[in-house]
């Protein structure tokens, strides 16, 4: 799988994601002499309920959150040491925990620049990162930001991209690509690494046990689930500024909802909110930052699907965009982001370099 010349970079939204999703992959890389690095987007400091239990306190202020972030950084370093990685393998970017979606909508350029700097400086040959389909908003937002960073690289400098899903850990969907089945010694080291994240185990012990005993699944693309997996947004496309969405089922015919849209227009990041008004066929398009109405459209029902068509300020120069249905769960989204198709351009979610031979990474049946 790896050669000594390889350089594996893992992009983790929070401390513990690297152990749950990629401990086996990191061990395989280190065993072959490949260089390894783990880049943590956040410190996982905005996690009040485990902190309340661990510290026996009710009020969690800024000082307490900062202290919790320091603890979680220390736990991640201990976990990487348990996997045999050097101390300097960990890089912490310090973005706000539970705030990556806000950064994506409001300050995407600064985050993309920081991720690009890490990739360009370290030059990984393989990058393992969250999937667009992960239901944790930090995970799927980081996926969009990372894909934007990779897309800005010259094609022959892009790493092989492996994506992983942490939430939900037991999704009953078909995965394609790479499965890392751990040997006994590798499972033991992964268990030790996961145990280092004591701050998380008071609520997630069962999830941690499952992660240790099951294979690690990766997709060589941005969506590690089958195209037939159920989801509300079945397809999205943009043709000369007209956004078209296909929503699954009759419930969206009159139901109110908000759909986030992020993309690149004339090389700049642009964000919108498409609002489906409850009980009305009319659709409003609002600017993602100011909330001003910048477009409108309609929805119809056909062949078991709700069809949305709305005009946007996007010019024909839009190159790429993603959409996500907004939900108001306690921690998780109903589903992650979906990459749309731009007229005349295929979605480039795999983002693979053009001259990389993937036969060493895919199972034989995936190549046929």
């Amino acid at each position: 799988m790896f050669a000594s010349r390889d350089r594996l970079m893992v992009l983790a939204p929070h401390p513990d994601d690297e152990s749950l999703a990629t401990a086996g992959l990191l061990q395989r890389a280190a065993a072959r002499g490949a260089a390894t690095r783990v880049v943590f987007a956040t410190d996982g400091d905005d996690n009040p309920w485990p902190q309340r239990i661990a510290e026996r306190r009710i009020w969690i202020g800024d000082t307490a959150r900062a202290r919790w972030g320091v603890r979680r950084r220390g736990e991640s370093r201990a976990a990487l040491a348990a996997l045999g990685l050097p101390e300097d393998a960990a890089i912490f970017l310090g973005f706000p925990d539970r705030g990556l979606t806000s950064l994506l909508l409001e300050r995407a350029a600064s985050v993309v620049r920081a991720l690009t700097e890490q990739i360009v400086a370290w030059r990984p040959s393989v990058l393992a990162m969250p999937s667009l389909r992960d239901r944790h908003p930090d995970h799927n937002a980081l996926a969009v930001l990372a894909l934007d960073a990779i897309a800005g690289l010259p094609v022959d400098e892009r790493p092989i991209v492996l994506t992983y899903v942490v939430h939900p850990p037991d999704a009953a969907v078909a995965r394609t690509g790479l499965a890392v089945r751990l040997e006994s010694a590798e499972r033991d080291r992964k268990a030790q690494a996961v145990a280092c994240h004591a701050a998380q185990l008071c609520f997630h012990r069962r999830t941690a046990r499952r992660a240790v005993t099951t294979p690690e699944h990766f997709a060589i693309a941005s969506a590690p689930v089958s195209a037939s997996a159920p989801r509300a947004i079945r397809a999205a496309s943009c043709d000369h500024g007209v956004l078209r969405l296909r929503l699954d089922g009759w419930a969206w015919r009159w139901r109110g909802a908000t759909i986030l849209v992020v993309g690149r227009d004339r090389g700049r990041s642009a964000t919108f909110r498409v609002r489906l008004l409850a009980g009305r066929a009319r659709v409003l398009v609002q600017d993602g930052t100011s909330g001003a109405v910048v477009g409108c459209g309609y929805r119809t029902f056909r062949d078991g699907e709700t069809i949305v068509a709305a005009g946007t300020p996007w010019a024909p120069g839009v190159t790429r965009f993603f959409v996500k249905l907004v939900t108001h769960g306690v921690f998780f989204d109903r589903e992650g982001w979906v990459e749309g198709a731009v007229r005349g351009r295929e979605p480039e979610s795999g983002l693979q370099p053009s001259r990389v031979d993937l036969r060493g990474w895919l199972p034989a049946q995936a190549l046929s």
Side-chain angles (χ1 to χ4, degrees):
M1 182 189 300
F2 288 98
S4 59
R5 65 178 179 276
D6 280 319
R7 300 171 66 82
L8 169 64
M9 175 180 284
V10 171
L11 185 58
H14 316 96
D16 84 340
D17 291 319
E18 85 297 338
S19 297
L20 295 172
T22 69
L25 193 72
L26 287 165
Q27 289 182 75
R28 295 282 172 91
R32 304 304 191 278
T36 54
R37 172 160 290 187
V38 181
V39 178
F40 295 93
T42 79
D43 293 340
D45 53 307
D46 191 6
N47 199 1
W49 284 106
Q51 186 173 3
R52 286 187 176 105
I53 293 173
E55 297 184 353
R56 298 182 180 180
R57 64 171 61 240
I58 299 298
W59 173 253
I60 304 294
D62 292 341
T63 301
R65 274 193 293 271
R67 182 175 61 250
W68 192 251
V70 171
R71 171 176 174 168
R72 296 198 66 184
R73 283 194 183 199
E75 290 178 345
S76 62
R77 291 191 180 97
L80 295 182
L83 297 175
L85 274 61
E87 185 176 352
D88 61 359
I91 300 294
F92 298 91
L93 300 182
F95 292 126
D97 185 18
R98 298 205 296 177
L100 293 184
T101 298
S102 295
L103 288 181
L104 172 62
L105 297 176
E106 299 167 10
R107 294 194 291 120
S110 61
V111 183
V112 170
R113 184 165 53 250
L115 296 174
T116 302
E117 289 172 355
Q118 291 294 325
I119 296 170
V120 170
W122 205 71
R123 300 178 63 86
S125 58
V126 181
L127 175 66
M129 53 170 271
S131 166
L132 291 172
R133 301 286 184 85
D134 195 299
R135 288 176 52 201
H136 192 298
D138 276 350
H139 287 234
N140 55 54
L142 185 58
V144 175
L145 293 160
L147 289 173
D148 200 3
I150 298 164
L153 301 175
V155 173
D156 59 354
E157 295 182 12
R158 294 175 182 174
I160 295 174
V161 177
L162 305 180
T163 65
Y164 59 82
V165 174
V166 176
H167 310 282
D170 55 350
V173 294
R175 290 178 171 89
T176 60
L178 175 69
V180 178
R181 293 175 173 83
L182 278 63
E183 303 293 338
S184 177
E186 292 173 328
R187 283 196 301 272
D188 291 343
R189 284 191 290 271
K190 179 168 183 173
Q192 294 171 18
V194 171
C196 291
H197 295 283
Q200 294 298 96
L201 294 181
C202 60
F203 282 120
H204 303 293
R205 194 174 299 275
R206 189 173 170 185
T207 299
R209 284 198 300 266
R210 186 186 296 116
V212 171
T213 57
T214 57
E216 295 174 356
H217 291 278
F218 302 90
I220 306 179
S222 65
V225 296
S226 67
S228 61
R231 55 185 179 182
I233 301 178
R234 302 189 66 177
S237 62
C238 185
D239 182 358
H240 290 84
V242 177
L243 177 69
R244 291 183 171 84
L245 305 171
R246 289 168 45 211
L247 306 182
D248 182 42
W250 62 268
W252 303 106
R253 185 175 183 178
W254 301 111
R255 185 177 176 181
T258 299
I259 297 169
L260 298 181
V261 184
V262 301
R264 284 202 163 271
D265 181 22
R266 305 180 188 92
R268 295 174 298 179
S269 178
T271 64
F272 304 107
R273 286 179 170 85
V274 178
R275 291 192 56 209
L276 310 183
L277 304 178
R280 300 175 63 183
R282 190 183 182 196
V283 172
L284 295 181
V285 180
Q286 297 177 309
D287 181 83
T289 303
S290 68
V293 175
V294 294
C296 62
Y298 61 90
R299 58 178 162 178
T300 59
F301 186 72
R302 184 175 67 244
D303 299 329
E305 293 182 333
T306 300
I307 312 299
V308 177
T312 73
W314 273 341
V318 62
T319 56
R320 195 173 192 197
F321 74 98
F322 301 86
V323 298
K324 184 176 81 166
L325 179 70
V326 176
T327 55
H328 300 288
V330 178
F331 296 110
F332 301 119
D333 294 325
R334 170 179 171 145
E335 55 192 46
W337 293 86
V338 174
E339 182 170 6
V342 179
R343 178 181 171 87
R345 293 174 60 93
E346 291 295 323
E348 48 179 338
S349 50
L351 289 173
Q352 302 307 337
S354 59
R355 294 192 292 275
V356 170
D357 183 359
L358 297 178
R359 286 176 294 179
W361 291 86
L362 285 167
Q365 63 269 24
L367 294 173
S368 59

